[in-house]
């Protein structure tokens, strides 16, 4: 039988826990690729905050995780994965950018620094607000006096698109985004915030992935390899990965 027929015989459920930036940049393309190549693989996706990725796997609610960590959360993530016998496989290096309303006054400047954002209202994920007390001396990630918190990425983007706030998000959050495409949101690099965000894939070191999981993981790797070629990091960002971005991940 042909290889195509063998693909048709690969069937089963795959349970994936994915960080918001992964859902934004990858999930629908992953669904499309799997449906085309392996039409009988059923993908079950839970969008999960990065701090919960390993916990979700440990609880058996998913068998593959796509999470993220910043330089300041890397050690904690790797330790949690090791304690729970999970392999961490790095997939992609992203940069953090400031997402601004298209009429924001800062867009008139040639460069934007963190201190330029201080007078304005910021939008971010709610768990960052809950954990900011642990990062009070770290000003690499600004916390404005006025802010909005949300539990989902779409609400953050909508707040920016309507001019209520700015947000510091990974560059991949702009990929195929309707607000960015329409011009309502403009992602801009920060001159003094050379922080990278690492996307990783996590899976058990104790058990062999099923055939359906193996093909799903191979597809995930291929998609991120393509993204890395299409969206290379600027040299300045690659050289400056030691900065902290607090406990904010996406």
């Amino acid at each position: 039988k042909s290889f195509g027929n063998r693909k048709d015989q690969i069937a089963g459920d795959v349970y994936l826990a994915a960080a918001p930036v992964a859902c934004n940049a990858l999930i629908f393309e992953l669904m499309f690729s799997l449906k085309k190549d392996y039409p009988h693989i059923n993908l079950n996706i839970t969008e999960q905050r990065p701090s919960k990725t390993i916990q979700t796997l440990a609880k058996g609610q998913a068998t593959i995780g796509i999470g993220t960590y910043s330089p300041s959360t890397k050690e904690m993530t790797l330790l949690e994965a090791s304690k729970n016998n999970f392999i961490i496989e790095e997939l992609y290096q992203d940069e953090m950018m400031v997402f601004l309303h298209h009429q924001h006054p800062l867009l008139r400047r040639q460069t934007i620094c963190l201190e330029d954002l201080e007078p304005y209202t910021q939008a971010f994920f709610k768990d960052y607000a809950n954990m900011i007390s642990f990062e009070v001396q770290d000003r690499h990630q600004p916390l404005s006096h006025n802010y909005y918190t949300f539990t989902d990425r779409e609400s953050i983007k909508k707040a920016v698109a309507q001019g209520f706030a700015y947000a510091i998000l990974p560059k991949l959050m702009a990929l195929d985004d309707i607000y960015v495409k329409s011009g309502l949101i403009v992602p801009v690099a920060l001159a003094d915030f050379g922080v990278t965000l690492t996307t990783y894939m996590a899976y058990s070191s104790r058990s062999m992935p099923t055939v359906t999981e193996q093909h799903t993981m191979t597809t995930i790797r291929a998609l991120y390899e393509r993204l890395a070629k299409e969206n290379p990091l600027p040299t300045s960002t690659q050289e400056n990965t030691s900065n902290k971005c607090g406990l904010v991940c996406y």
Side-chain angles (χ1 to χ4, degrees), residues 63-111:
T63 52
I64 303 171
I66 303 179
T68 60
Y69 54 70
S70 66
S72 67
T73 59
K74 178 178 181 178
E75 183 177 356
M76 178 175 61
T77 302
L78 296 181
L79 180 61
E80 186 180 16
S82 177
K83 286 182 177 179
N84 288 279
N85 298 292
F86 291 116
I87 295 170
I88 295 290
E89 180 182 329
E90 292 187 359
L91 296 173
Y92 186 80
Q93 299 290 327
D94 203 356
E95 63 178 315
M96 305 297 288
M97 306 187 77
V98 58
F99 284 53
L100 299 171
H101 182 264
H102 70 103
Q103 293 182 335
H104 199 287
L106 288 180
L107 289 176
R108 294 194 289 267
R109 299 192 180 192
Q110 289 186 338
T111 59

Side-chain angles (χ1 to χ4, degrees), residues 10 28 50 55 80 88 90 95 106 118 142 155 161 178 221 227 236 242-243:
I10 297 172
F28 286 106
Q55 295 176 30
E80 186 180 16
I88 295 290
E90 292 187 359
E95 63 178 315
L106 288 180
E118 287 293 341
S155 294
I178 188 171
R221 293 185 187 102
L227 283 176
S236 59
S242 61
N243 290 343

Side-chain angles (χ1 to χ4, degrees), residues 17-157:
V21 67
C23 290
N24 187 91
L26 179 85
I27 291 304
F28 286 106
E29 190 162 357
L30 175 61
M31 292 168 60
F32 174 79
S33 297
L34 287 176
K35 185 58 65 176
K36 181 183 68 172
D37 294 336
Y38 307 100
H40 301 299
I41 290 181
N42 300 314
L43 193 60
N44 301 273
I45 305 159
T46 300
E47 182 169 331
Q48 191 63 271
R49 297 290 295 129
S51 59
K52 305 290 187 180
T53 302
I54 303 301
Q55 295 176 30
T56 302
L57 298 181
K59 292 177 180 178
Q61 297 170 347
T63 52
I64 303 171
I66 303 179
T68 60
Y69 54 70
S70 66
S72 67
T73 59
K74 178 178 181 178
E75 183 177 356
M76 178 175 61
T77 302
L78 296 181
L79 180 61
E80 186 180 16
S82 177
K83 286 182 177 179
N84 288 279
N85 298 292
F86 291 116
I87 295 170
I88 295 290
E89 180 182 329
E90 292 187 359
L91 296 173
Y92 186 80
Q93 299 290 327
D94 203 356
E95 63 178 315
M96 305 297 288
M97 306 187 77
V98 58
F99 284 53
L100 299 171
H101 182 264
H102 70 103
Q103 293 182 335
H104 199 287
L106 288 180
L107 289 176
R108 294 194 289 267
R109 299 192 180 192
Q110 289 186 338
T111 59
I112 301 175
C113 298
L114 289 177
E115 65 179 3
D116 298 328
L117 298 170
E118 287 293 341
Y120 302 101
T121 302
Q122 186 178 5
F124 45 74
F125 284 98
K126 188 173 182 179
D127 58 350
Y128 175 45
N130 292 341
M131 292 185 289
I132 190 62
S133 59
F134 295 103
E135 299 284 326
V136 291
Q137 295 180 347
D138 185 356
R139 299 304 293 166
H140 291 290
Q141 171 79 2
L143 178 64
S144 56
H145 296 294
N146 298 308
Y147 59 87
Y148 299 108
T149 65
F150 300 95
T151 58
D152 63 287
R153 57 194 159 96
E154 290 306 318
S155 294
I156 291 176
K157 290 181 180 179

